[in-house]
């Protein structure tokens, strides 16, 4: 059975009218004989609203309870979309993560999918129904509801596509992937196609169009992803395996990540075991560390700076307080006014000079950067938010993005 998995994000299902208009398009496709599994997010900003309610009670809510709360957002959407499809005379059924049997581990708020049972879905498809699945949620072996991390509906969609051997179409409020987020740089160009690695860098570096885990999953299971506008009538961007027809530029795009927090730990006694201790404590809390820099030893002490996501602040504070007990000489501070800018391109593997061009641009324009890291296909800098617009403009100009 040829199946298409479609996913609609929060803004695409942000009102009853929008839900009804999506229902109409789905019914049209169904009438043309397509077998559809539709994954949806919570309406508009409702996940944020739920989160804000929890934060009125405590700044650091219990994660099992938070998952219980946040998973309700998607349930509202699946019920309404399914009703809207039914109202148009087409058979539909809504399914929670648990009803599909999306089994995850028990890492609440960042759960990983272990298995998915396709039989329930195949049965409903053979009854000619459009299946509407709640994104972002799963269930543990014990029956506890979990969520997959913010933006996790994309991962739900790609995982379902992988298990159903289906194509995956992700509809959103932008009409494809641009060289730079058009909200930040209106002159950015739309990309026809990208390879998984580029998209992975763009997403993990904060392009914000599609969730990183979803791309990793798509790469692993070779699921091509179409990313397009929720009106479903304009060409979008295809993310797939690299092929020779893709344009060979050194730099394909630039991504901007505003959700970073720079943490500095100073006066660490100079000994590799201390550095290891810091990062293993952080890792034990499942906090992902991104850019790391270390100063040369001075008076037998070093300073380390690294970046994490802003949401990890509370968990991280606990780690650092613990650490200060063990290493009383250390001090720590946070800087939440930095932005990470990354230029990305598979072309960098074979073309040199990108880093030197960037250093020139920063120095000519008097833009100060705090950290630099590179990967095979990207170079990233942290800059102060006051310099962001200027940095975007000058870099875009140099690399014709
Ligand atoms: N509703 C969830 C969120 O806002 C999941 C998603 O939209 O993908 O993060
Ligand atoms: Mg999203």
């Amino acid at each position: 059975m040829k199946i298409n998995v479609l996913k609609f994000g929060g803004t695409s299902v942000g009102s009853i009218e929008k839900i009804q208009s999506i229902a109409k398009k789905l019914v049209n496709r169904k009438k043309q004989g397509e077998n559809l599994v539709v994954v949806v997010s919570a309406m508009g900003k409702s996940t944020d609203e739920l989160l804000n309610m929890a934060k009125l009670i405590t700044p650091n809510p219990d994660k099992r309870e938070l998952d219980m709360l946040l998973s309700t957002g998607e349930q509202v959407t699946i019920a309404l979309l399914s009703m809207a499809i039914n109202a148009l005379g087409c058979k539909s059924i809504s399914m929670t993560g648990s009803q599909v049997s999306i089994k995850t581990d028990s890492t609440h708020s960042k759960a990983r999918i272990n298995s998915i049972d396709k039989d329930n879905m195949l049965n409903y498809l053979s009854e000619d129904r459009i299946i509407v699945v709640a994104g972002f949620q799963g269930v543990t072996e014990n029956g506890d509801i979990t969520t997959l991390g913010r933006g996790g509906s994309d991962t739900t969609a790609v995982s379902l596509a992988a298990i159903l051997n289906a194509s995956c179409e992700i509809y959103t409020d932008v009409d494809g992937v641009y060289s730079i987020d058009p909200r930040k740089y209106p002159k950015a160009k739309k990309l026809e196609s990208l390879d998984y690695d580029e998209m992975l860098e763009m997403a993990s570096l904060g392009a914000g169009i599609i969730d990183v885990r979803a791309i990793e999953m798509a790469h692993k299971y070779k699921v091509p992803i179409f990313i397009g506008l929720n009106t479903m009538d304009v060409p979008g961007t295809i993310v797939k395996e690299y092929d020779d027809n893709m344009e060979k530029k050194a730099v394909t795009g630039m991504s901007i990540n505003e959700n970073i927090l720079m943490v500095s730990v100073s006066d660490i006694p100079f000994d590799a075991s201390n550095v290891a201790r810091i990062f293993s404590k952080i890792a034990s809390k499942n906090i992902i560390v991104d850019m790391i820099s270390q100063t040369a030893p001075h008076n037998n002490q070093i300073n380390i700076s690294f970046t994490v996501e802003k949401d990890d602040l509370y968990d991280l504070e606990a780690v650092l307080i613990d650490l200060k007990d063990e290493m009383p000489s250390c001090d720590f501070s946070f800087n939440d006014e930095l932005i990470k800018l990354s230029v990305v391109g598979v072309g960098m593997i074979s073309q040199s000079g990108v880093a030197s061009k960037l250093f020139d641009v920063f120095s000519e324009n008097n833009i100060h950067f705090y950290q630099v890291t590179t990967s095979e296909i990207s170079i990233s800098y942290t800059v102060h938010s006051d310099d962001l617009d200027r940095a975007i403009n000058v870099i875009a100009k140099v690399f014709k993005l």
Side-chain angles (χ1 to χ4, degrees):
M1 187 191 287
K2 165 95 187 71
I3 301 166
N4 298 309
V5 174
L6 279 56
K7 182 254 169 181
F8 295 90
T11 41
S12 310
V13 292
S15 67
I16 297 296
E17 293 72 37
K18 287 183 176 178
I19 289 176
Q20 285 172 317
S21 114
I22 288 171
K24 236 182 247 164
K25 291 182 180 119
L26 295 172
V27 169
N28 280 340
R29 285 182 63 166
K30 176 72 196 157
K31 282 189 181 142
Q32 277 154 38
E34 291 188 44
N35 298 301
L36 301 176
V37 174
V38 185
V39 175
V40 286
S41 294
M43 291 173 70
K45 298 247 170 282
S46 61
T47 308
D48 290 329
E49 284 156 19
L50 292 166
L51 194 59
N52 289 341
M53 281 197 264
K55 297 230 157 138
L56 289 176
I57 294 175
T58 162
N60 195 19
D62 181 273
K63 290 193 167 154
R64 180 191 179 278
E65 303 313 326
L66 196 59
D67 279 357
M68 189 66 98
L69 178 71
L70 297 191
S71 64
T72 62
E74 272 68 16
Q75 273 169 243
V76 171
T77 324
I78 56 171
L80 291 172
L81 180 57
S82 200
M83 283 175 205
I85 295 169
N86 283 326
L88 294 170
C90 190
K91 284 194 282 184
S92 172
I93 186 157
S94 62
M95 297 180 87
T96 62
S98 152
Q99 287 171 324
V100 173
S101 198
I102 300 176
K103 291 274 166 61
T104 70
D105 65 14
S106 55
T107 317
H108 284 287
S109 87
K110 286 183 185 172
R112 287 194 158 263
I113 297 174
N114 288 333
S115 69
I116 299 176
D117 187 351
K118 61 179 171 183
D119 292 347
N120 294 335
M121 289 184 287
L122 291 177
N123 284 338
Y124 287 131
L125 285 175
S126 69
E127 290 171 6
D128 253 349
R129 295 176 193 260
I130 297 177
I131 302 180
V132 184
V133 178
F136 174 58
Q137 55 176 261
V139 65
T140 66
E141 284 302 330
N142 297 331
D144 282 324
I145 295 177
T146 51
T147 64
L148 308 177
R150 296 305 306 270
S153 297
D154 295 332
T155 306
T156 307
V158 173
S159 312
L160 295 182
I163 193 96
L164 294 167
N165 206 0
S167 68
C168 186
E169 302 164 31
I170 295 198
Y171 292 100
T172 169
D173 54 346
V174 293
D175 61 358
V177 181
Y178 280 72
S179 55
I180 304 174
D181 184 341
R183 289 167 294 195
K184 301 262 160 44
Y185 184 70
K187 286 183 278 183
K189 302 186 180 94
K190 182 156 50 165
L191 305 169
E192 210 172 285
S193 63
L194 281 98
D195 119 291
Y196 290 116
D197 287 321
E198 282 176 324
M199 190 65 225
L200 201 56
E201 290 273 346
M202 298 273 278
S204 68
L205 300 172
I209 300 166
I210 165 166
D211 191 49
V212 181
R213 280 192 282 176
I215 302 156
E216 282 169 351
M217 184 93 64
H219 195 177
K220 186 166 166 193
Y221 296 101
K222 312 253 176 299
V223 179
I225 312 176
F226 170 85
I227 299 174
L229 189 65
N230 50 33
T231 55
M232 300 168 81
D233 55 5
V234 284
T237 301
I238 295 194
V239 186
K240 57 179 185 185
E241 279 199 290
Y242 182 79
D243 71 50
D244 289 341
N245 296 328
M246 290 179 172
E247 208 185 336
K248 286 200 187 80
K249 280 168 77 180
V251 176
T252 307
M254 170 164 57
S255 65
I256 300 153
N257 186 353
E258 294 173 277
N259 182 28
I260 63 162
L261 180 71
M262 185 170 84
V263 186
S264 302
V265 186
S266 59
D267 305 327
I268 305 164
F270 180 47
D271 184 327
S273 71
N274 288 333
V275 178
R277 192 155 8 134
I278 295 173
F279 288 104
S280 83
K281 271 184 197 295
I282 294 170
S284 72
K285 293 271 183 190
N286 284 317
I287 299 170
I288 296 172
V289 172
D290 185 18
M291 306 174 89
I292 302 178
S293 59
Q294 179 184 318
T295 59
H298 180 68
N299 295 335
N300 227 23
Q301 289 183 323
I302 52 165
N303 304 330
I304 285 185
S305 298
F306 55 91
T307 60
V308 296
E309 286 188 6
K310 284 197 168 107
D311 299 346
D312 287 324
L313 176 63
Y314 286 98
D315 284 345
L316 196 76
E317 261 177 339
V319 171
L320 293 174
I321 287 166
D322 202 35
L323 193 77
K324 197 158 164 61
D325 278 346
E326 293 175 27
M327 286 185 243
S329 71
C330 293
D331 260 317
F332 49 86
S333 61
F334 301 105
N335 185 342
D336 62 3
E337 290 180 348
L338 301 184
I339 311 252
K340 181 175 165 186
L341 280 184
S342 310
V343 298
V344 179
V346 275
M348 273 187 228
I349 297 175
S350 53
Q351 296 175 47
S352 59
V354 176
S356 92
K357 247 191 208 165
L358 279 165
F359 285 122
D360 280 349
V361 169
F362 281 126
S363 96
E364 277 160 19
N365 293 280
N366 217 354
I367 298 169
H368 180 68
F369 53 85
Y370 293 73
Q371 287 160 311
V372 193
T373 53
T374 62
S375 81
E376 213 178 9
I377 65 162
S378 73
I379 306 175
S380 305
Y381 297 83
T382 42
V383 299
H384 195 275
S385 53
D386 291 345
D387 289 330
L388 178 65
D389 289 342
R390 229 155 36 90
I392 293 174
N393 274 288
V394 293
I395 294 171
K397 214 168 133 203
V398 168
F399 293 106
K400 302 190 174 58
L401 299 177

